[in-house]
Amino acid sequence: MSTPEHSVAHYQWTDGDLLLVCHLQPKASKSEFSGLHGDALKVRIQAPPVEGKANSELVKFLAKQFGVSKSAVSIISGELNRHKRVRITQPQRLPAEALITQS
């Protein structure tokens, strides 16, 4: 029996995993959460959007923020887009800046 799903515009919990909708802003002065952008969590990333550098930096940043290994963070859709869906497997902490609550 699976756990009930809980959803808000920019995130959804499913079986203990967090599905996050992100809007990426590459080439920022520093990597950080920057509030909401429509129905997505805006994430500023230092890396430029070339050769997968911004995606790699996003995975590294989210892993650190949510207290998981990089292998627990996967980009589900939007590899080549600013708008991405990301799965974080069993996050260990929820940073307040990400505006996420446990279901």
Side-chain angles (χ1 to χ4, degrees):
M1 188 168 147
S2 69
T3 57
E5 292 186 356
H6 179 252
S7 179
V8 175
H10 70 286
Y11 70 92
Q12 176 181 351
W13 287 100
T14 178
D15 295 328
D17 292 352
L18 179 63
L19 301 178
L20 195 56
V21 178
C22 299
H23 178 82
L24 217 60
Q25 179 189 336
K27 291 173 59 176
S29 57
K30 68 178 186 173
S31 295
E32 64 183 350
F33 294 116
S34 183
L36 295 178
H37 180 85
D39 289 342
L41 177 64
K42 187 171 184 179
V43 184
R44 296 166 44 91
I45 295 294
Q46 273 187 305
V50 293
E51 299 171 3
K53 289 180 182 178
N55 286 344
S56 295
E57 179 70 22
L58 175 66
V59 168
K60 182 177 161 185
F61 174 74
L62 291 176
K64 182 177 180 184
Q65 295 298 311
F66 288 92
V68 298
S69 66
K70 288 189 284 185
S71 63
V73 179
S74 57
I75 298 174
I76 300 169
S77 66
E79 280 281 328
L80 302 175
N81 197 318
R82 283 178 178 241
H83 198 76
K84 301 180 186 303
R85 291 185 65 229
V86 179
R87 175 184 297 275
I88 302 170
T89 304
Q90 305 291 314
Q92 298 303 300
R93 65 176 171 259
L94 299 175
E97 307 83 30
L99 308 171
I100 295 170
T101 58
Q102 182 71 47
S103 57

